[in-house]
Amino acid sequence: MTHAEEPATRASFDRWGPYALLAVGVVTAVGSARVVGMTRAAMWVSGVLVVLALLLQLYWGRAARRRPGPNRTSVTLYFVRWALGFMLTWLNPFFAFYAVTGYYSAARQLTRRLLLPGLFLTAVTMAGSEIGGMPPRSLLWWFGFLIVFGANCGLVALFTRAHAQEQAHARTQAETIAELARTNTALQQALDENAALHAQLLVQAREAGVADERRRLAAEIHDTIAQGLAGIIAQLQVVSNTPDPQLAEEHVGRALALARHSLGEARRSVHNLAPVALEHDGLPEALRKTVAEWGERTATRAEFTLTGTAEQLHEEVAATLLRIVEEALSNAARHAHASRVGVTLSYLGGFPGGEVILDIRDDGVGFDSLALPARSRAGGFGLDGMRARAERIAGSLTVESEPGLGTALSARVPLVRHDT
């Protein structure tokens, strides 16, 4: 029997058990009345006591529903029932079937101070029944009564101690379970706080990285592009002030060289700045326009698909995904010779943190995935560059391709919202 079933079983016995035991006592007493020598007067007295026992039990049921024991009412009713059981057993030993109810209900109806006295009184009744009836008829019967009574008291003490240990174990177990529940709650709160702190630190680290990158770009622009432009201006000023055609041509050549160099530096330096396409549109709309414009420009069938509920992403995440798409489309146009390209943006926000997945597929010539092309020197990023972009924001990039079977790219990055 489970712990959940025990209270229901006890409640059922407290309600119906005394009636059943009284009925057994009445039947056995009636059958043994002549054997034990009951007189007619004893039978009448027994009948009156049985009726009183029934009335007592009916009242007890209503009182227990209003005020469950142990309390003053339950203590009074317990000892009144013991008295009725003792008198019935005195008249006929078989009424001990009813008196034994005291053993089973004492713990729930008597206070701790009165528990042992109540059990010992029930033991007196049971011992009298076990020697054949009260009072003992001779000194030998009294001696037998004392032995049987002692045995009953020993059993009472044993069962009472076992019950107390069981109750103490149950209380300890309940306290342990409650403590475990409190510990689990505290642990879950700590985990939630750690997850929130981790996300906050991740965003702060990304923003710090963005600030560092902007400072680096500013320094690069100052040290390369600005200086290159200053050199070009200086060369052109020389050209405008000299009448020598050969000298002018020489300085014009130097100015062109500086311009080409500065243009290369500009392309390299601004490659990581926020894309213009994201200034007025969210990532899904920017991707849709980028794919459509690329398809028109290259005469290639290009489709964009959005799945999930679109959310406003952190600007670095959105810029990274857009740059990956731009590089992938550029690679498809230059190397894949594809007739069809599909771009799918998926928002997965059903678990803590969530993810954004970007898939780019083409039906081009494909390549050996074990020999990926390196980053180009002309400023393009290539597959290694796209993977580096994804990993910079705690994401990943996977590539699947075979010669003649097209190429599939999949970038998975954390769903970091704009307001995080």
Side-chain angles (χ1 to χ4, degrees):
M1 182 182 299
T2 64
H3 291 290
E5 294 172 339
E6 288 180 3
T9 303
R10 291 174 178 173
S12 179
F13 178 82
D14 288 343
R15 184 175 181 181
W16 303 110
Y19 292 108
L21 293 174
L22 181 60
V24 173
V26 170
V27 171
T28 54
V30 170
S32 62
R34 292 186 178 181
V35 177
V36 300
M38 289 185 70
T39 63
R40 184 178 295 275
M43 293 182 183
W44 277 103
V45 172
S46 297
V48 172
L49 293 176
V50 168
V51 173
L52 291 177
L54 283 173
L55 295 175
L56 175 69
Q57 196 59 42
L58 290 171
Y59 176 76
W60 195 326
R62 290 194 295 270
R65 285 193 294 272
R66 290 195 302 269
R67 293 183 57 197
N71 50 52
R72 182 177 299 179
T73 301
S74 66
V75 169
T76 302
L77 293 176
Y78 179 91
F79 285 110
V80 171
R81 185 173 63 187
W82 170 82
L84 291 173
F86 179 81
M87 288 186 289
L88 286 169
T89 305
W90 186 287
L91 296 172
N92 189 316
F94 286 94
F95 276 114
F97 282 107
Y98 173 65
V100 77
T101 307
Y103 278 155
Y104 301 108
S105 60
R108 295 183 297 279
Q109 294 162 354
L110 293 179
T111 61
R112 182 177 299 180
R113 184 171 60 87
L114 295 175
L115 178 60
L116 286 179
L119 291 173
F120 285 143
L121 287 176
T122 301
V124 170
T125 305
M126 300 307 297
S129 170
E130 290 161 3
I131 65 170
M134 292 288 284
R137 293 182 289 277
S138 65
L139 184 62
L140 180 62
W141 284 99
W142 274 105
F143 182 71
F145 170 79
L146 292 176
I147 292 176
V148 174
F149 176 69
N152 277 274
C153 289
L155 291 174
V156 166
L158 179 64
F159 290 134
T160 301
R161 180 177 178 82
H163 177 75
Q165 291 177 343
E166 181 183 358
Q167 291 294 101
H169 177 71
R171 285 193 298 270
T172 302
Q173 189 176 33
E175 292 173 357
T176 302
I177 292 174
E179 182 63 27
L180 286 175
R182 289 192 294 269
T183 302
N184 287 337
T185 301
L187 179 60
Q188 185 61 47
Q189 292 176 348
L191 289 175
D192 293 340
E193 291 174 359
N194 286 340
L197 180 60
H198 179 267
Q200 182 179 358
L201 290 175
L202 182 61
V203 172
Q204 290 176 350
R206 289 172 183 158
E207 292 177 347
V210 171
D212 291 340
E213 184 68 7
R214 287 173 177 169
R215 285 191 291 269
R216 183 190 68 81
L217 289 174
E220 283 193 7
I221 291 172
H222 177 269
D223 295 339
T224 58
I225 302 174
Q227 291 181 6
L229 291 174
I232 292 171
I233 293 172
Q235 295 295 328
L236 293 177
Q237 285 178 344
V238 172
V239 172
S240 64
N241 294 327
T242 181
D244 186 352
Q246 185 177 357
L247 182 60
E249 184 178 355
E250 180 183 347
H251 284 282
V252 168
R254 291 179 183 178
L256 287 174
L258 283 172
R260 291 190 185 96
H261 177 74
S262 297
L263 179 60
E265 290 296 324
R267 286 173 176 170
R268 183 184 64 81
S269 299
V270 303
H271 205 40
N272 288 326
L273 292 178
V276 177
L278 292 174
E279 287 184 356
H280 305 292
D281 296 322
L283 179 61
E285 187 60 28
L287 288 179
R288 193 184 308 277
K289 292 180 179 179
T290 299
V291 171
E293 292 171 359
W294 179 86
E296 292 177 0
R297 186 171 62 251
T298 60
T300 303
R301 182 179 176 184
E303 298 176 350
F304 172 76
T305 304
L306 173 66
T307 64
T309 303
E311 300 189 44
Q312 186 71 20
L313 298 177
H314 191 279
E315 58 183 5
E316 187 179 2
V317 175
T320 298
L321 294 176
L322 181 59
R323 290 302 191 197
I324 289 175
V325 169
E326 290 174 344
E327 186 67 23
L329 293 176
S330 177
N331 289 342
R334 287 182 296 172
H335 308 297
H337 306 295
S339 63
R340 181 175 180 180
V341 175
V343 177
T344 301
L345 180 66
S346 303
Y347 288 82
L348 304 178
F351 50 93
E355 275 188 330
V356 181
I357 301 177
L358 179 66
D359 297 303
I360 305 106
R361 305 168 306 281
D362 68 62
D363 60 355
V365 297
F367 56 88
D368 184 0
S369 60
L370 298 179
L372 298 178
R375 178 174 177 174
S376 67
R377 295 183 179 179
F381 268 74
L383 294 175
D384 288 340
M386 286 188 281
R387 181 175 289 109
R389 282 185 179 277
E391 291 174 352
R392 192 174 62 194
I393 58 171
S396 63
L397 180 78
T398 58
V399 181
E400 295 181 2
S401 183
E402 292 184 19
L405 298 179
T407 302
L409 306 178
S410 181
R412 304 173 72 99
V413 300
L415 197 162
V416 182
R417 296 168 178 84
H418 179 68
D419 56 350
T420 299

